[in-house]
Amino acid sequence: MAVSTETMQVFEPATEQVLAELTRASREDADAAIARAKEAFPAWRAVKPGDRAKLLRSLAREIEGSLEELATLETRNVGKPISDARGEVGMVVDVFDYYAGAPERLLGDTIPVAGGIDMTFREPLGVVGLITPWNFPLSIASWKVAPALAAGNTIVLKPAELTPLTAIELEKLALEAGIPEGVLNVVNGPGSVVGERIVEHPDVAKVAFTGSTAVGRRVGELASRSIKRVTLELGGKSANIVFADADLEQAAGAAPLAVFGNAGQDCCARSRILVERSSLEAFLEALERSVTALRVGDPLDEETQMGPLISADQREKVASFVEDGAPVAFRGSAPDGPGYWFPPTVLSPVSNDDRVAREEIFGPVAAVIPFEDEAEAVRIANDTIYGLSGSIWTRDGAKALRVARGLETGTISINSNNSVRVTTPFGGFKQSGMGRELGPHALDYYTELKNVFMAT
Ligand code: NAP
């Protein structure tokens, strides 16, 4: 069905070997996928809500039945530990089950007005374009695909060229689940060609983008030309704030995976660790113990906690931050090549003005920044263009809530690292994006609100 005859290779970052060879889609392929989605829209929006719900549940069962294969594919293509990949695919199953509840619960309001009855309806948008990154390929696709389908939209999904394999499997599983052809269309091609075409195309009603702030800005500019609906889930530089009254062992035990999980290639990475100065020494000692104990190696090994980076380019970029000159306090281990390995690295002390504290590194590098008191912690945490997530560690509940309310951040955890749950909203303040994914709020971004008045 592809128009393009160009091919491309997909690599395995732990071995540097070719994992798959695929067709690289062209602008014409994007047009063809959008046309298929447009044609499929009237019938899909007309599917009875209960039947749409059943199809989403059936897709959840297909994914559940392929969990091990999908997790292994994601592990080999991204380099993430197999135990993480399994957890992510498990969450994808939950996402489809959760949004299967939505078609029958897209409620409107009745509003008291003079002379009649006023009602609101949530209408699907039409064809939606979904553009996803390489760090959590299937998870992030599911956060968009499930609510978009539940609301009655049809989809063109463009995965990142580095990691398109699980999105391609998702399209196949959707067909096996009984979702009609043309409703979910995956187009694997370069962002500058296929991505831009999706964003510009007049038949695409909305774009949901997850990726870097730089590309998100470009997507926002292009989308604005046709007043397209757009949601942007972008970069982060989140703070992990450790107060002296926290359980330091617990905070230091959790900090490594809060920043080195997915080898630091996580938009929610708490890559700035803010520590109250009076407990700095004790915290660093505990942190060193947990960082050096991290198991870095073969992502297919059940015991592995951190795998390689996605590519040689990414490793070079990460290394350039460490070469900037902030003192290296300690490092964990990393295997020798082949594979794009980089050891978990802690820099301390760092000033919040240093490049390592200002830019998203997207690798296993943490910057420890001391602070004097609560007000300074909030000021430093907010002194960034980003506002995606963050953590607060303290035994003082009132202080935790005060600080949480003071942070310009979309998702905050207290005495926890967790940023993402199926049932709760996720998204950024400031240049970390606009709009929310997951939870009930995501549905607002895949529907248009219609108001109908009937004179009585
Ligand atoms: P990226 O380079 O911005 O790419 C993201 C997606 O956009 C890819 O599919 C890419 O395609 C495509 N793209 C590139 N240029 C485009 C253009 N001009 N028009 C339309 N699409 C275009 O980001 P990434 O390197 O894949 O992912 C890492 C970034 O994502 C980090 O900044 C991270 O913080 C962010 N992220 C944010 C969240 C969140 O929820 N806030 C979650 C995960 C990741 P190709 O790569 O195939 O060319």
Side-chain angles (χ1 to χ4, degrees):
M1 204 186 296
V3 181
S4 166
T5 50
E6 201 187 324
T7 56
M8 53 162 278
Q9 293 178 323
V10 174
F11 290 88
E12 184 165 8
T15 61
E16 304 183 28
Q17 298 298 307
V18 175
L19 182 59
E21 193 153 321
L22 305 169
T23 304
R24 170 179 272 149
S26 61
R27 181 184 162 96
E28 290 70 31
D29 288 304
D31 284 349
I34 293 164
R36 286 197 298 278
K38 187 180 178 187
E39 199 186 327
F41 176 62
W44 179 245
R45 79 173 295 181
V47 171
K48 286 185 217 145
D51 290 344
R52 215 153 58 219
K54 278 187 198 137
L55 287 168
L56 284 173
R57 270 187 212 107
S58 160
L59 177 51
R61 300 291 73 75
E62 291 288 338
I63 297 168
E64 203 166 35
S66 307
L67 192 145
E68 204 52 36
E69 292 88 334
L70 289 167
T72 304
L73 200 55
E74 201 84 307
T75 285
R76 293 189 65 190
N77 194 182
V78 185
K80 63 177 71 222
I82 185 70
S83 54
D84 290 1
R86 246 183 234 126
E88 287 169 26
V89 181
M91 182 186 176
V92 170
V93 173
D94 293 344
V95 168
F96 280 98
D97 274 329
Y98 176 75
Y99 285 108
E104 294 171 299
R105 291 186 184 79
L106 279 172
L107 305 180
D109 296 311
T110 52
I111 301 172
V113 290
I117 297 170
D118 197 279
M119 301 158 267
T120 65
F121 295 87
R122 285 260 160 216
E123 305 284 14
L125 297 165
V127 178
V128 297
L130 313 180
I131 302 177
T132 52
W134 48 260
N135 58 342
F136 294 98
L138 188 61
S139 302
I140 290 176
S142 76
W143 302 355
K144 301 179 193 309
V145 169
L149 291 182
N153 303 286
T154 55
I155 293 172
V156 177
L157 166 62
K158 193 211 94 60
E161 274 205 307
L162 287 170
T163 59
L165 301 178
T166 46
I168 292 169
E169 290 306 306
L170 181 67
E171 185 183 29
K172 291 183 199 154
L173 292 174
L175 290 173
E176 278 164 30
I179 292 176
E181 255 186 68
V183 171
L184 171 59
N185 307 275
V186 175
V187 195
N188 168 49
S192 55
V193 179
V194 168
E196 294 217 358
R197 183 60 183 153
I198 291 170
V199 180
E200 283 174 339
H201 201 291
D203 289 339
V204 174
K206 179 232 162 80
V207 170
F209 171 86
T210 298
S212 60
T213 295
V215 177
R217 191 172 294 120
R218 169 87 183 140
V219 167
E221 280 165 12
L222 289 177
S224 70
R225 293 182 193 167
S226 52
I227 319 291
K228 232 173 220 95
R229 276 69 188 131
V230 62
T231 42
L232 302 171
E233 297 289 344
L234 309 176
K237 193 73 202 175
S238 298
N240 195 2
I241 306 176
V242 183
F243 285 100
D245 63 3
D247 179 334
L248 290 185
E249 285 295 328
Q250 189 196 14
L257 288 178
V259 50
F260 304 138
N262 217 42
Q265 305 163 124
D266 181 349
C267 51
C268 293
R270 277 94 162 132
S271 53
R272 293 182 300 150
I273 308 179
L274 277 50
V275 184
E276 193 161 358
R277 196 179 293 279
S278 57
S279 62
L280 184 61
E281 207 175 311
F283 177 79
L284 282 172
E285 274 170 25
L287 183 64
E288 182 167 6
R289 282 195 297 279
S290 44
V291 169
T292 48
L294 266 183
R295 287 185 292 269
V296 183
D298 178 3
L300 286 166
D301 184 328
E302 298 289 340
E303 302 298 313
T304 292
Q305 293 172 293
M306 192 184 115
L309 294 174
I310 187 74
S311 65
D313 284 352
Q314 190 67 14
R315 182 171 58 187
E316 217 170 280
K317 182 185 151 211
V318 173
S320 82
F321 279 94
V322 176
E323 285 153 15
D324 255 11
V328 174
F330 44 84
R331 308 184 93 160
S333 64
D336 298 329
Y340 309 120
W341 304 99
F342 198 89
T345 301
V346 175
L347 308 174
S348 177
V350 172
S351 153
N352 199 51
D353 296 327
D354 293 346
R355 188 170 79 104
V356 286
R358 303 215 74 76
E359 294 180 20
E360 186 179 40
I361 300 174
F362 230 52
V365 179
V368 175
I369 304 170
F371 67 85
E372 300 301 334
D373 56 22
E374 183 181 326
E376 192 182 26
V378 173
R379 186 187 60 69
I380 295 174
N382 286 339
D383 181 16
T384 168
I385 59 168
Y386 297 110
L388 191 56
S389 59
S391 291
I392 300 162
W393 298 85
T394 172
R395 288 189 173 98
D396 179 339
K399 177 160 71 181
L401 282 180
R402 256 192 332 266
V403 172
R405 295 298 307 274
L407 295 180
E408 296 158 354
T409 299
T411 316
I412 298 162
S413 325
I414 297 166
N415 296 328
S416 159
N417 282 337
N418 195 309
S419 290
V420 173
R421 277 173 224 85
V422 176
T423 53
T424 60
F426 172 70
F429 279 29
K430 303 197 284 190
Q431 293 189 34
S432 286
M434 46 200 263
R436 292 293 179 270
E437 297 201 304
L438 298 170
H441 304 82
L443 292 161
D444 293 351
Y445 299 95
Y446 290 98
T447 51
E448 196 76 86
L449 190 61
K450 181 183 282 173
N451 189 66
V452 176
F453 170 76
M454 184 166 70
T456 54

